[in-house]
Amino acid sequence: MHTSSIAPVQLSGPDHLRALAITLVFFYHYQNFGHPDWPEEIIGLGWMGVDLFFVLSGFLIAGQIFRAISKGRNFSLKEFFIKRVFRIIPAYLVVLILYIAMPIVREREHLAPIWQYLTFTLNLDLDLSKTGTFTHAWSLCIEEQFYLILPLIVLLINYFKLGKKSVYIFAGLFILGFALRLWSWDQLVEPHLTSEYFWVLWYKYIYYPTYNRLDGLLTGVGIAAIFTFYPLVYQRINEYANWLLLFGVLLLLSACFLCIDPHSFNSSIFGFPLIALAFGAIVASAVCPKCILYTFKSKFTFHLATLSYSIYLIHKIMIYMTQNLLAQAGLQKESNLMLIFCIATSLSGAVILRYCVELPFLSIKDKILNHPDHCKI
């Protein structure tokens, strides 16, 4: 079995893209608060930032798994879940505790039942007319559900020695997701097109369910599989990395045009896979040494990418609290100055979460994995 051509090192390309993703998500969510007109005009499609996160996550996590398999090592479920738990759970629980214990930080009313947050099932049957707080955890739920299933798929691939054929498995799942989304539209959404609650049903049955939003994750996993088990393909892509980047950008522009109305049939059915493929092309190019995104170094995007998870978790709390406090001092919520303060406090909150929660638990994780009694991959 071939050894991957992708070195397991810090890559600038994914850092740039992760920084872009969290920027899109931040400004898109900022529209739910008092805001200047220009963010709404410029990044009304900022929800696509989550899809970029999905592609990146699928590529990076699956890449780690596939590299181990390609080198003939046994895949350890224990190590995989230790890494995921210590990376995701501590900071997530801290923010959840804030939402539960301090109602004053809730950006909206109606916190979902706590068990849904603890079991990462918030996105299943999520009704925005009944739940309005910490709803952005839906994407994290999808990732965690997916990473419960992915190791089992990988173990099956390894057990049956499918190797290169694993690419077809993920392609089949991609097509299945497309079919399920089409069924969801026909059976659960289209009959209510004229209802005033149509938008609620669209989010509930199209946007949030895991089986309808696997396009990005599967695209990322597929790229990781191709780059790992088809090194000649990776080398070929590397030669034309900048052209692939341009193709991805043009494809993304096409997706933006298609998704001007995100609730439409074309956007709901064809938009998600088109966005995933566009970001897939961009991610695939960004990890190639000959791509401009790979060679361009930036401390700003590196640090922003490092903080992206903490920003994602805490930014709504920080925006809400900042606007409420400064509005009492006379600052207009719709002003650009308010936006600057919200960016600053969100970054500050993320830094605190990163250094007081994330890094200490990542250090514990490393100690566990490096313990002599632990069986490594």
Side-chain angles (χ1 to χ4, degrees):
M1 195 171 291
H2 295 291
T3 300
S4 171
S5 301
I6 309 173
V9 297
Q10 184 69 39
L11 300 176
S12 295
D15 282 344
H16 300 323
L17 297 179
R18 194 179 291 109
L20 171 62
I22 193 58
T23 300
L24 289 173
V25 169
F26 177 89
F27 279 100
Y28 182 72
H29 286 164
Y30 196 76
Q31 297 174 96
N32 295 321
F33 303 88
H35 63 277
D37 291 335
W38 65 265
E40 187 170 349
E41 296 170 355
I42 295 177
I43 56 169
L45 294 172
W47 54 269
M48 293 182 180
V50 171
D51 296 85
L52 178 52
F53 272 130
F54 283 160
V55 177
L56 283 167
S57 183
F59 172 77
L60 295 172
I61 298 299
Q64 295 173 11
I65 298 173
F66 293 153
R67 274 196 299 272
I69 294 175
S70 70
K71 294 177 181 178
R73 300 175 184 171
N74 293 322
F75 172 63
S76 170
L77 276 175
K78 177 182 177 181
E79 180 160 350
F80 178 82
F81 286 119
I82 286 176
K83 289 180 177 179
R84 295 304 299 168
V85 166
F86 280 88
R87 175 70 182 91
I88 298 298
I89 302 300
Y92 174 76
L93 285 182
V94 167
V95 174
L96 178 58
I97 290 171
L98 288 176
Y99 272 110
I100 295 171
M102 302 176 62
I104 193 174
V105 307
R106 299 176 187 175
E107 67 272 13
R108 290 188 178 181
E109 68 284 353
H110 305 312
L111 191 69
I114 306 305
W115 67 266
Q116 289 186 290
Y117 294 104
L118 294 176
T119 58
F120 292 100
T121 55
L122 174 69
N123 69 307
L124 303 178
D125 201 39
L126 177 54
D127 188 336
L128 291 181
S129 66
K130 299 178 180 178
T131 303
T133 293
F134 201 20
T135 54
H136 56 289
W138 71 270
S139 61
L140 189 59
C141 293
I142 288 179
E143 289 201 28
E144 293 309 292
Q145 292 166 27
F146 182 72
Y147 293 128
L148 284 176
I149 299 173
L150 179 62
L152 300 180
I153 297 176
V154 170
L155 287 175
L156 289 175
I157 290 173
N158 207 25
Y159 179 79
F160 290 105
K161 303 185 184 303
L162 296 178
K164 296 180 178 181
K165 296 179 181 179
S166 62
V167 174
Y168 300 107
I169 295 177
F170 294 108
L173 291 173
F174 188 96
I175 295 172
L176 177 62
F178 179 89
L180 288 172
R181 194 162 54 249
L182 181 60
W183 179 89
S184 298
W185 175 274
D186 287 339
Q187 300 298 316
L188 304 174
V189 176
E190 188 175 33
H192 305 282
L193 282 175
T194 58
S195 169
E196 62 178 311
Y197 296 105
F198 165 75
W199 67 276
V200 174
L201 296 174
W202 184 84
Y203 277 102
K204 182 176 181 179
Y205 295 123
I206 298 293
Y207 193 74
Y208 290 138
T210 306
Y211 49 83
N212 283 341
R213 299 307 311 275
L214 292 178
D215 307 78
L217 286 162
L218 289 171
T219 297
V221 172
I223 295 170
I226 292 173
F227 280 17
T228 301
F229 301 116
Y230 295 84
L232 294 180
V233 174
Y234 171 69
Q235 294 172 18
R236 187 71 172 174
I237 290 175
N238 181 43
E239 293 297 319
Y240 299 94
N242 289 316
W243 288 107
L244 181 61
L245 175 62
L246 177 61
F247 172 75
V249 171
L250 293 176
L251 197 62
L252 184 61
L253 291 176
S254 301
C256 290
F257 178 78
L258 181 66
C259 298
I260 290 177
D261 177 8
H263 304 142
S264 67
F265 171 82
N266 286 335
S267 176
S268 301
I269 306 305
F270 303 106
F272 293 141
L274 187 61
I275 292 168
L277 293 174
F279 280 136
I282 293 171
V283 169
S285 66
V287 296
C288 292
K290 292 190 176 182
C291 179
I292 56 175
L293 290 179
Y294 186 102
T295 57
F296 176 70
K297 309 294 182 182
S298 169
K299 290 184 179 180
F300 173 77
T301 55
F302 169 76
H303 290 298
L304 190 56
T306 300
L307 292 173
S308 60
Y309 179 55
S310 291
I311 294 173
Y312 189 81
L313 287 174
I314 206 167
H315 71 284
K316 283 188 177 180
I317 288 179
M318 302 311 296
I319 293 171
Y320 179 71
M321 294 297 295
T322 301
Q323 289 204 351
N324 282 352
L325 290 173
L326 294 183
Q328 294 176 15
L331 187 61
Q332 292 293 321
K333 290 185 177 181
E334 295 77 16
S335 67
N336 288 313
L337 184 56
M338 180 68 84
L339 171 59
I340 293 173
F341 276 117
C342 288
I343 292 174
T345 55
S346 295
L347 288 173
S348 299
V351 168
I352 294 172
L353 194 60
R354 170 71 176 172
Y355 285 92
C356 294
V357 182
E358 281 194 78
L359 290 182
F361 277 94
L362 289 176
S363 178
I364 294 173
K365 176 209 70 175
D366 291 337
K367 290 179 180 179
I368 293 174
L369 295 180
N370 293 327
H371 193 278
D373 294 333
H374 178 74
C375 182
K376 301 178 180 180
I377 289 180

